[in-house]
Amino acid sequence: MEKVLIQLQVPAIHETYDMFIPRNMLAYEVLGLIKKVINHMTKGRYEADESGILCFADTGSIVNINLSVAELGIENGSKLMLI
């Protein structure tokens, strides 16, 4: 499984993380995975709920969760934000 290294900003808890995500996974699956991982890593400081969305940190545009990571053009070094 090919993965890409992204930088994820989580403004709600003022943290930034580097993480690998699978290129062939759909963005809604990645979003669910990211929310669980961040909740676990922060020991509950970030509450994973249905309202969280991913957007591109550079442009602020919302990630289309129906596309795969590869289709979205997310590559190594891409910066995303969980809001």
Side-chain angles (χ1 to χ4, degrees):
M1 178 184 315
E2 188 179 348
K3 297 182 181 181
V4 294
L5 178 63
I6 63 159
Q7 182 183 76
L8 179 73
Q9 299 171 10
V10 189
I13 57 171
H14 307 288
E15 296 286 344
T16 301
Y17 301 94
D18 292 329
M19 60 178 50
F20 286 98
I21 58 173
R23 281 184 50 82
N24 62 343
M25 190 176 275
L26 294 174
Y28 78 86
E29 296 171 312
V30 171
L31 176 59
L33 180 64
I34 286 173
K35 288 195 278 186
K36 287 179 187 175
V37 168
I38 298 300
N39 180 268
H40 178 73
M41 289 174 57
T42 62
K43 298 180 181 165
R45 277 188 21 222
Y46 175 80
E47 297 267 341
D49 61 17
E50 296 299 315
S51 65
I53 61 170
L54 281 177
C55 64
F56 292 98
D58 298 338
T59 64
S61 61
I62 296 174
V63 169
N64 182 342
I65 61 171
N66 297 312
L67 299 176
S68 72
V69 170
E71 290 171 321
L72 289 163
I74 297 172
E75 297 291 335
N76 286 324
S78 290
K79 295 178 183 180
L80 299 178
M81 192 172 1
L82 176 60
I83 54 174

